[in-house]
Amino acid sequence: MDGTLNWTSSDLDGLAEVQGDQRVDFISDNTRTYLDVVFYVLVQGSISLLGSAGNILNILVFVKQGFKDTVNCSLMALSLSDLGSLVTLTWMSICYLPEFRFSGIEFESLDIQYLTACWPHGSFARITSCITAYISFERCLCTALPLKVKTIITPARTLIIMASIFLLQFSVVSLVFSSVRLGPVYYLRRNTTLVGLVYIDNGPYLENMAFSIDIGIQIFSFVIVAICTMILIQSLIRNRKWRNSATKSAVPDSVDSKTAREKRVVVMVTTISGIFIACYTPSVINLIIMLCFPDYSIVGAYSNTFILIWSLFLNLEAINSAVNIFIYYNMSSKFRTVFSLTLKSCTATAKSK
């Protein structure tokens, strides 16, 4: 997951019962309930819906472009993981909507979203992290071994690696799905029994195992992206110096054209990686704070602050998954052309119906 919402509604009921009036949180329960609607429903829901539409268009464009190029294979997989991340966040927003939660449904939506939205989103977010790390590493390899990289990294190998990333992360989240069952749960705050999550005997152990693996994947992929991005920035600086010196001498058009194409790809990958770092740095710092301050957790004295801060970080993750369409459109002339044709085709189909 994200190291984020590792909790259920029944956990909060128990927390409130134990702490009672001794809670010293900066944010009251009523204020947090209001802010939940603002950040989880309005902001997160809007970003997720728009981002999902954008990633569907990305997928259509990459399918039309084909998979003869390794970059297209990676970006297609990235769009799939971003779509999964945003769709699950959309479902999470619905579960937080008071009109849905208190509409008379026979289950506690906050518990159900923990299993059907929170963990699946975290899984797709980790896939996005790993794919971003792979794309960054591939570009670094292109700068280090420009003559050998096409024999090392092929479209077929890239597709296998992408599929392996998905399967690995799905196997991690399967531990969580095997740790709980749906069953009747009494909710103190609502004074009623609804369908919720019931842990099996070793459920918490399986969940903590998945949680630990997930944190490790997040931090590892983040470090890889950060290192590779710094290398790519240095590469762009060296390339600019080379181009400035090359203007003083004749450079074949074919060489200049190829160099320009490679530069555009590097700039695009660096931009994707930079946005990823900007959106994920707060959550990584937050994980470190969680390790240093035990009270800063869902069962600590500052649980409301904890939940609110993670809602902000989920919105940053949603932004990271939603903005790539603008990067592709502005930095890839081929994507822009196919995108325009695809949009016209979809518009014409909609009008004909």
Side-chain angles (χ1 to χ4, degrees):
M1 237 205 0
D2 302 274
T4 54
L5 306 175
N6 192 17
W7 57 278
T8 62
S9 181
S10 54
D11 290 331
L12 291 183
D13 283 345
L15 177 64
E17 186 176 16
V18 171
Q19 292 183 328
D21 296 330
Q22 297 180 354
R23 298 186 64 178
V24 294
D25 205 339
F26 301 113
I27 300 172
S28 67
D29 289 343
N30 290 335
T31 301
R32 203 211 81 208
T33 300
Y34 170 77
L35 293 175
D36 280 351
V37 175
V38 173
F39 292 113
Y40 282 110
V41 179
L42 298 178
V43 179
Q44 179 178 295
S46 300
I47 296 173
S48 300
L49 277 174
L50 294 173
S52 295
N55 277 289
I56 290 173
L57 288 173
N58 286 344
I59 292 169
L60 292 174
V61 171
F62 289 130
V63 168
K64 288 190 176 183
Q65 285 184 336
F67 305 110
K68 295 181 179 180
D69 182 68
T70 57
V71 175
N72 270 19
C73 296
S74 302
L75 295 182
M76 171 66 177
L78 184 61
S79 296
L80 285 171
S81 64
D82 283 341
L83 178 61
S85 176
L86 292 168
V87 167
T88 50
L89 283 180
T90 302
W91 168 237
M92 184 187 293
S93 298
I94 293 173
C95 290
Y96 268 93
L97 188 66
E99 288 78 7
F100 176 73
R101 185 185 179 196
F102 302 110
S103 62
I105 54 177
E106 296 184 355
F107 59 88
E108 173 50 76
S109 62
L110 294 188
D111 272 17
I112 299 303
Q113 70 83 28
Y114 174 72
L115 190 64
T116 61
C118 188
W119 267 103
H121 162 73
S123 183
F124 281 114
R126 297 292 74 72
I127 292 171
T128 291
S129 300
C130 291
I131 293 176
T132 304
Y134 174 83
I135 294 172
S136 303
F137 177 75
E138 180 191 7
R139 282 300 102 189
C140 287
L141 204 58
C142 287
T143 60
L145 303 170
L147 301 179
K148 297 181 179 180
V149 68
K150 289 188 179 297
T151 59
I152 298 173
I153 300 178
T154 64
R157 289 174 181 171
T158 298
L159 289 174
I160 291 173
I161 292 172
M162 295 298 106
S164 300
I165 292 173
F166 275 87
L167 290 174
L168 173 63
Q169 191 59 48
F170 288 160
S171 66
V172 173
V173 78
S174 67
L175 293 172
V176 180
F177 282 91
S178 64
S179 69
V180 295
R181 300 288 184 269
L182 296 179
V185 177
Y186 177 72
Y187 294 92
L188 179 65
R189 290 183 175 184
R190 299 181 63 175
N191 191 29
T192 187
T193 298
L194 299 169
V195 175
L197 302 183
V198 180
Y199 284 89
I200 64 175
D201 290 340
N202 63 338
Y205 171 77
L206 293 174
E207 184 182 50
N208 288 333
M209 182 188 299
F211 186 64
S212 299
I213 295 172
D214 211 65
I215 289 179
I217 292 174
Q218 174 175 340
I219 294 176
F220 176 76
S221 58
F222 180 86
V223 171
I224 294 297
V225 172
I227 293 173
C228 290
T229 301
M230 288 188 289
I231 295 174
L232 290 174
I233 291 173
Q234 289 296 320
S235 174
L236 287 172
I237 294 173
R238 288 196 304 270
N239 186 60
R240 178 180 296 179
K241 292 180 179 179
W242 177 84
R243 286 181 65 83
N244 290 337
S245 62
T247 54
K248 300 177 181 180
S249 58
V251 179
D253 291 340
S254 59
V255 175
D256 189 57
S257 176
K258 183 178 180 180
T259 303
R261 284 197 303 270
E262 288 296 325
K263 180 186 176 183
R264 284 196 296 270
V265 174
V266 172
V267 171
M268 183 175 68
V269 171
T270 304
T271 304
I272 293 172
S273 301
I275 292 174
F276 171 84
I277 292 171
C279 291
Y280 276 79
T281 295
S283 65
V284 173
I285 294 175
N286 207 45
L287 285 174
I288 298 173
I289 295 175
M290 287 170 59
L291 296 174
C292 298
F293 301 96
D295 278 340
Y296 180 65
S297 70
I298 191 59
V299 293
Y302 306 102
S303 61
N304 284 341
T305 302
F306 176 85
I307 294 170
L308 174 62
I309 288 178
W310 272 118
S311 72
L312 300 176
F313 294 164
L314 282 176
N315 285 323
L316 286 176
E317 292 181 7
I319 291 172
N320 177 74
S321 295
V323 299
N324 283 342
I325 187 171
F326 302 107
I327 299 173
Y328 304 151
Y329 186 85
N330 285 291
M331 296 189 176
S332 172
S333 57
K334 186 177 179 180
F335 180 92
R336 190 160 51 245
T337 300
V338 178
F339 176 86
S340 299
L341 293 174
T342 302
L343 201 58
K344 289 178 182 178
S345 176
C346 292
T347 304
T349 302
K351 288 181 178 179
S352 64
K353 292 182 179 181

